[in-house]
Amino acid sequence: MLPTPSTSHVSFNNVYEPAEDSFLLLDTLSSSTESNFLRTRFSNSHTGQNESTEHNLGAPLILEVGTGSGVVLAFATANAIAIFGRSDLLTLGTDINSFACQASTKTVQTAITEPLAHLGHGKFLDIVNADLTTPIRSGSVDVLIFNPPYVPTSELPDLTLHDTFNTISLETSSTTFEQDSHLLALSYAGGVDGMEITNRLLEQLRGILHPERGVAYILLCAQNKPNEVKERIKNWGQPWAVETVGYSGKKGGWERLQILRIWSACSIR
Amino acid sequence: MKILTLNFLTCARKACKATNAAFPLHPRDAELEIVETDLNPLFIRNILPRIEWDALREICVELGLPTLPDAAPEPAALFAEPIVPADTMQDADEGAEKQPTQLLQDLHRLLLETTIATGKLVCGNCGHEYAVKEGIANFLLPSHLV
Ligand SMILES: [Zn+2]
């Protein structure tokens, strides 16, 4: 078992606390089937020092959308060798909540300075405060990870209030209850079928992923109607493929979770 | 935020993303900070194929940093051959460590150690300014621009 990154510095008043869904992502990414898949896909045997540059596809970029506490991105960064078979990878995160951006930056930095991580960790770039993948350059992402706000809700948080809620007011020097509720709602509220945010991400996905190397891990709960989601992705056609690669939770319970792997099945070389 | 991060970012507006002018974003009023990190020569070499070199050159000019070469360096320019006695030549590839050149060290400093602490990132297409505060860039758009 690879160690779970520490999030003891994070205030869970306004940042999503690691839970069963987060841990399912950690377990899935580090499972033997997924690390075999990722190691094969991103094998760096071709990057030996003496090989010519034509075969050097460069360091892979890992993007986590909605990092929250940062536990998943920290795990992927700190265990780069164990999961991806290489340490020359770049990790980047986005979150709509500026407090989550600060918290996850610290979580990743702490995880990669742990004594045990020093040999096999990747290179952490930054967390940017953004809506899903909107500022990410097209076609640049090799691995995308998304633990979405998946809980079905009657409405989504009011984004017209987001600007004021996204910073600490100068008068109070701390966050208000109303503000914290808004920020936490962004981490779980998924609207109709719990799919409104995930659907927006799915719309962006093919533009953001590298057309040949791209792979995404997206978590769904039973109420998201995962089979319908998978059917829709199957209709994307070549080269896109989809498969469930991780499960957790009690059968029939509404929080039964699964992780989809969506990937380009192009031949890479 | 690291200079290397700019290699993966564009304007967040949908109308801009398809245009060439939205990349790279242009740093303005940037306060730079050096955050030292261990040099990993192979890492720098493997980042190079990912870099949009012309964009990186442009960013360096805008930040007033030393000018980069016109074209991305060949991997050979990153490592100096070690000095080995003639009779051990056949082992040179595996045995002796190649030494990082000044160019490689400069790239490490630029890409991984040079950070924007505060400032703005400006879209070359729509002119929208994204603020960077405490090293974190804010790409959230006011609702009328989404
Ligand atoms: Zn723009």
Side-chain angles (χ1 to χ4, degrees):
Chain A
M1 276 273 286
L2 300 170
T4 302
S6 165
T7 51
S8 58
H9 57 276
V10 182
S11 158
F12 298 119
N13 293 334
N14 49 32
V15 174
Y16 186 71
E17 184 167 4
E20 188 188 355
D21 44 17
S22 324
F23 300 126
L24 177 60
L25 269 168
L26 305 192
D27 290 346
T28 303
L29 288 171
S30 57
S31 68
S32 58
T33 48
E34 287 318 294
S35 56
N36 282 338
F37 173 85
L38 291 165
R39 281 159 173 254
T40 308
R41 197 168 179 90
F42 298 106
S43 155
N44 64 351
S45 59
H46 58 282
T47 60
Q49 251 207 56
N50 302 315
E51 287 214 22
S52 63
T53 179
E54 291 93 16
H55 300 295
N56 188 346
L57 297 167
L61 177 68
I62 316 300
L63 173 72
E64 188 186 5
V65 176
T67 49
S69 68
V71 70
V72 176
L73 192 64
F75 184 82
T77 310
N79 300 301
I81 289 262
I83 298 170
F84 302 94
R86 59 195 292 171
S87 63
D88 62 331
L89 54 88
L90 302 165
T91 67
L92 181 65
T94 68
D95 203 292
I96 194 167
N97 172 349
S98 71
F99 300 93
C101 293
Q102 289 168 9
S104 19
T105 301
K106 183 146 186 224
T107 305
V108 183
Q109 283 169 348
T110 305
I112 59 180
T113 47
E114 292 283 324
L116 284 174
H118 73 287
L119 286 175
H121 72 78
K123 185 57 81 179
F124 169 56
L125 290 177
D126 283 288
I127 310 287
V128 296
N129 192 191
D131 177 20
L132 301 178
T133 70
T134 49
I136 306 298
R137 190 154 65 85
S138 301
S140 64
V141 176
D142 296 289
V143 180
L144 182 144
I145 303 168
F146 188 36
N147 182 3
Y150 57 77
V151 177
T153 52
S154 55
E155 51 188 19
L156 293 174
D158 182 358
L159 284 180
T160 61
L161 301 171
H162 188 66
D163 252 12
T164 37
F165 283 162
N166 199 31
T167 51
I168 288 182
S169 97
L170 293 173
E171 296 116 63
T172 55
S173 76
S174 68
T175 56
T176 61
F177 176 76
E178 200 189 5
Q179 180 172 12
D180 288 347
S181 307
H182 166 85
L183 293 169
L184 280 183
L186 287 169
S187 74
Y188 67 79
V192 177
D193 292 340
M195 278 300 291
E196 291 193 42
I197 311 299
T198 307
N199 282 339
R200 288 185 50 225
L201 189 278
L202 289 172
E203 274 167 32
Q204 300 170 356
L205 193 62
R206 284 172 285 175
I208 286 301
L209 286 181
H210 186 281
E212 289 162 4
R213 304 204 288 181
V215 47
Y217 290 91
I218 298 178
L219 184 138
L220 298 176
C221 78
Q223 291 196 337
N224 298 157
K225 303 178 181 163
N227 288 335
E228 286 181 19
V229 177
K230 284 165 80 172
E231 278 312 307
R232 267 162 50 208
I233 294 164
K234 280 176 188 155
N235 286 334
W236 289 357
Q238 293 291 336
W240 299 100
V242 59
E243 197 175 298
T244 299
V245 294
Y247 281 108
S248 89
K250 49 186 186 291
K251 277 202 168 143
W254 74 270
E255 264 233 323
R256 191 165 145 243
L257 305 172
Q258 64 173 281
I259 290 175
L260 299 188
R261 184 221 287 155
I262 302 168
W263 74 101
S264 166
C266 261
S267 65
I268 294 175
R269 308 186 254 288
Chain B
M1 74 183 312
K2 297 177 179 69
I3 299 300
L4 181 54
T5 303
L6 291 176
N7 187 63
F8 300 105
L9 298 176
T10 64
C11 183
R13 293 178 71 176
K14 216 172 181 180
C16 288
K17 283 198 87 169
T19 70
N20 289 330
F23 177 85
L25 296 167
H26 306 284
R28 193 175 290 166
D29 307 330
E31 268 180 46
L32 300 183
E33 200 177 304
I34 299 292
V35 181
E36 295 200 342
T37 166
D38 291 343
L39 174 70
N40 181 339
L42 285 182
F43 195 87
I44 296 294
R45 195 201 58 174
N46 290 347
I47 285 173
L48 272 188
R50 300 298 309 257
I51 303 274
E52 296 295 327
W53 190 260
D54 292 344
L56 182 64
R57 278 192 95 236
E58 202 177 329
I59 288 166
C60 284
V61 170
E62 289 168 354
L63 288 172
L65 295 170
T67 312
L68 291 174
D70 287 343
E74 293 296 318
L78 300 177
F79 297 95
E81 289 299 329
I83 301 152
V84 280
D87 60 338
T88 61
M89 274 307 272
Q90 67 262 44
D91 297 333
D93 279 351
E94 288 141 40
E97 283 282 310
K98 292 186 178 183
Q99 293 306 305
T101 59
Q102 187 61 45
L103 175 62
L104 185 146
Q105 295 178 45
D106 291 347
L107 285 170
H108 170 74
R109 165 68 44 134
L110 170 67
L111 294 168
L112 296 174
E113 295 190 325
T114 307
T115 66
I116 299 178
T118 57
K120 291 170 196 150
L121 300 170
V122 184
C123 172
N125 191 53
C126 72
H128 191 77
E129 295 181 348
Y130 298 97
V132 183
K133 282 178 195 160
E134 295 178 56
I136 294 177
N138 181 344
F139 284 96
L140 299 174
L141 292 164
S143 47
H144 66 278
L145 290 182
V146 173

